[in-house]
Amino acid sequence: LLLFLSVYVLYLLPQVAQSQIQTLSSDKTQHKITNDKLTVFCDSTNLLTINDILKIDSSLFSRNNKTYPVIENGKYTYWVKIKLINKSENTRWVLENADSHIQEFSFYFVDKNLKISTAKAGNSWPFNLKEYDHKNFIFDLPIAYNDQATVYLKARSNYKNPLIINIKSFSSFSSYAFSEYLILGLFYGILLVMLVYNIILYFSIYERIYLYYSLYVLASILLTLSEDGLGFQYLWPSLPGLNQFATNYSPLLLLLTFTIYAKKFLHTREKTTLLDNLINVVTGVYLVYFLAKVFVNTIPWNPSFFIVPFLLIYAAAIVSYKKGNYVAKYFIIAYTFIIFSLLLLIARLTGILHQSNVFTVYSFNIGLVIEVVLFSYSLSERMKFLKLDKEKADQKIIQQLKENEVLKDRVNKELEMKVSERTKELAEANVVLNQQKEELETANDQLNIQAEELEAVNEQLLMQAEEINRINELLSKENVALKTNVEELEEARIMLKEVNFEEFSKVFPDNESCFKFLTDFKWADTYACRKCGNKRHVALSPGDEHSRRCTKCRYKESATAYTIFHKCKFPITKAFYMLFLIYASKNKITSQQLSELLQLRLSTCWQFNKKIKEAMDNKKKAKGDHHKQDGWTVLIPYEQEGD
């Protein structure tokens, strides 16, 4: 036992003491301060000064059980103690803390004569208080050759921040800082180019998706500026409150702008309604959770919840691609990089990941550059697809216009022939009338000569007058029939082929004519209550005359109930025209075309188009070909849940 104690005192104890001292040697330009080279003291009072720390027992400083010391509790102040010995001659050393998000960070250098040098840095103080004009916390180490000194670091933060401490030679630090700022300059240059490019595109074609994308890129720039500290250094150096605001709220702004852009690009409302609603709900819950945390400090904060809406959008992109949105594949590829970088970012913010290198510190920047470039490419591909769709639609419209022109010429020829025939008949009737008039004049001349035949002539005149009246009546009826035939021909054109909305409005000029048509169509034969089968109904007040109320069970049925126009939220005249266009084009007209023709929103046309397609599919499945001879009105009856 005595031998062991002697060996421990003479050999092992000096080695243990030496292991707690960081040696600055000339063979290295950088020294990472690991757990075995420092001790940590937690000040729960937040009142101790450097003089108080120098007086307390060194045993109160304990080893940290992690790779780097971590600020675990935002209510306490943490003191880090590092002992140094300089074995490098003619080398200027600086101390760096790589995490620049700490609110309060103070540096104390105590030399062998207990002389104290101090410096301050931190996000809660103006940037110009820093000893070096650098985004990280940099401090000079005025330690002479072969001298020993002690460094104390005082840190306090509202977040879980690791203390990543490095000691570098000044030349190594200068080279590193120049390279880092050069790479960051290239990074922000790429983002600004993409931002300006997409803003120009928006004002060129007024496509809102480019505006949403520009806002997302702007939010990304704000987040990275607050994350890497360049915003605090160059944009708001004297406004630490603004720096704290940007750090806190830029992730929320990024989430909201990206959600709006992604939903628009992926068409989640049309392609995957369930995920679209889920994304809205989760984003709303996160917004409420975020604002509650801002106003109520006691609510625990979990940054990992930030990734959930992004994962849902990732799933929506996959579903959208499987449902035919082929440009979503570029979105998925780009989004994979940003999801991975966000996971690394959250892992570093929560203290799970303590590694400090270019891939962990700038993972979000790297992923964002790749994502922005690929997203811009995907937008250009999206424009190509839209252009191709528009060209196809234009070709269909041109073809349809040609067919309409042929139809118009044919109908006009038919009308001209019928008018010519009717005119000929009227001319022949006029000839007969003229002949009869001549006969009457001859008879009148003979009255003076043949008085004895007066009564016979009078009777003949009466008979001729009756014949004239009969012919006039026939002519009147034929004129009415001619007008009716012309109107029927015009209506037949509408029932069978496509015409413009102005011509269509001649048959259905207003809502009243549409409702009257529906009323006659539904109850043309007889009325029967759908609830009790009663065949009698009462007359309703003006304004509601197109509805039927049962005299027995009092059930009221509107003209649009159990038809395809039920719950129609836009003018029924346009709904009639849309039904006619889709039927006449054999379901080849697109929702985009309907939106432009009827001046309705694309989503409204898409919903009603979908309803009409379902009705047409149901008619095709039904037995018989009645719809071929009944025209587009065969699609009016429509049974569904909730009617």
Side-chain angles (χ1 to χ4, degrees), residues 386-401 590 592-593 596:
L386 290 177
K387 184 178 179 181
L388 290 175
D389 290 341
K390 186 177 184 302
E391 290 177 354
K392 292 179 180 178
D394 290 342
Q395 291 295 329
K396 290 181 179 179
I397 291 173
I398 293 172
Q399 183 64 30
Q400 191 63 47
L401 289 174
T590 65
Q592 181 69 35
Q593 293 175 258
E596 293 174 357

Side-chain angles (χ1 to χ4, degrees), residues 34-46:
T34 54
N35 185 41
D36 59 331
K37 300 299 182 182
L38 56 83
T39 52
V40 180
F41 171 72
C42 180
D43 176 19
S44 59
T45 65
N46 300 318

Side-chain angles (χ1 to χ4, degrees), residues 374-391:
L374 289 176
F375 275 2
S376 295
Y377 179 75
S378 65
L379 282 175
S380 65
E381 288 296 310
R382 179 177 180 272
M383 287 302 298
K384 290 180 181 178
F385 278 104
L386 290 177
K387 184 178 179 181
L388 290 175
D389 290 341
K390 186 177 184 302
E391 290 177 354

Side-chain angles (χ1 to χ4, degrees), residues 440-454 457:
L440 287 175
E441 290 176 356
T442 302
N444 287 329
D445 292 337
Q446 292 176 353
L447 284 176
N448 296 326
I449 300 172
Q450 300 176 348
E452 64 277 6
E453 298 178 357
L454 180 61
V457 172

Side-chain angles (χ1 to χ4, degrees), residues 6 142 185 260 268 346 364 373 436 517 575 592 605 616:
S6 300
I260 295 172
T268 55
I346 291 175
F364 182 73
V373 173
Q436 291 177 348
F517 178 81
Q592 181 69 35
C605 293
M616 294 179 73

Side-chain angles (χ1 to χ4, degrees), residues 216 219-220 223 250-259 306 310 364:
Y216 164 61
S220 301
L223 176 62
S250 57
L252 178 63
L253 184 61
L254 177 75
L255 172 62
L256 296 178
T257 54
F258 182 74
T259 301
F306 178 71
F310 289 93
F364 182 73

Side-chain angles (χ1 to χ4, degrees), residues 321-499:
Y321 174 71
K322 289 183 177 180
K323 290 190 175 182
N325 188 5
Y326 297 110
V327 293
K329 64 182 178 181
Y330 303 106
F331 186 95
I332 296 171
I333 295 172
Y335 202 23
T336 301
F337 288 97
I338 203 66
I339 284 289
F340 181 73
S341 62
L342 281 173
L343 290 173
L344 288 179
L345 175 64
I346 291 175
R348 192 162 59 84
L349 292 176
T350 55
I352 298 174
L353 182 65
H354 302 294
Q355 296 296 325
S356 177
N357 53 56
V358 68
F359 294 105
T360 56
V361 175
Y362 296 112
S363 61
F364 182 73
N365 302 63
I366 296 171
L368 189 60
V369 167
I370 298 173
E371 181 205 44
V372 164
V373 173
L374 289 176
F375 275 2
S376 295
Y377 179 75
S378 65
L379 282 175
S380 65
E381 288 296 310
R382 179 177 180 272
M383 287 302 298
K384 290 180 181 178
F385 278 104
L386 290 177
K387 184 178 179 181
L388 290 175
D389 290 341
K390 186 177 184 302
E391 290 177 354
K392 292 179 180 178
D394 290 342
Q395 291 295 329
K396 290 181 179 179
I397 291 173
I398 293 172
Q399 183 64 30
Q400 191 63 47
L401 289 174
K402 291 180 179 179
E403 294 177 0
N404 291 347
E405 190 67 25
V406 172
L407 175 63
K408 178 181 177 182
D409 293 339
R410 189 175 69 186
V411 172
N412 287 336
K413 288 180 180 179
E414 291 177 356
L415 288 173
E416 289 175 359
M417 290 176 61
K418 289 185 177 294
V419 170
S420 178
E421 292 175 357
R422 187 60 62 185
T423 303
K424 185 177 180 181
E425 293 176 358
L426 290 174
E428 292 175 354
N430 286 330
V431 170
V432 173
L433 287 175
N434 290 331
Q435 291 176 353
Q436 291 177 348
K437 287 181 179 179
E438 290 177 357
E439 292 175 357
L440 287 175
E441 290 176 356
T442 302
N444 287 329
D445 292 337
Q446 292 176 353
L447 284 176
N448 296 326
I449 300 172
Q450 300 176 348
E452 64 277 6
E453 298 178 357
L454 180 61
E455 292 181 1
V457 172
N458 286 336
E459 291 179 359
Q460 186 178 3
L461 288 174
L462 290 174
M463 292 175 62
Q464 289 177 347
E466 290 177 357
E467 182 67 13
I468 291 171
N469 291 333
R470 185 181 66 81
I471 292 173
N472 286 333
E473 289 177 359
L474 288 175
L475 288 175
S476 298
K477 291 180 180 180
E478 287 174 351
N479 286 331
V480 172
L482 175 60
K483 183 178 179 181
T484 303
N485 289 338
V486 172
E487 292 176 350
E488 289 176 351
L489 284 172
E490 185 176 355
E491 183 175 354
R493 288 178 58 212
I494 294 175
M495 294 300 179
L496 296 176
K497 297 293 181 178
E498 180 182 350
V499 295

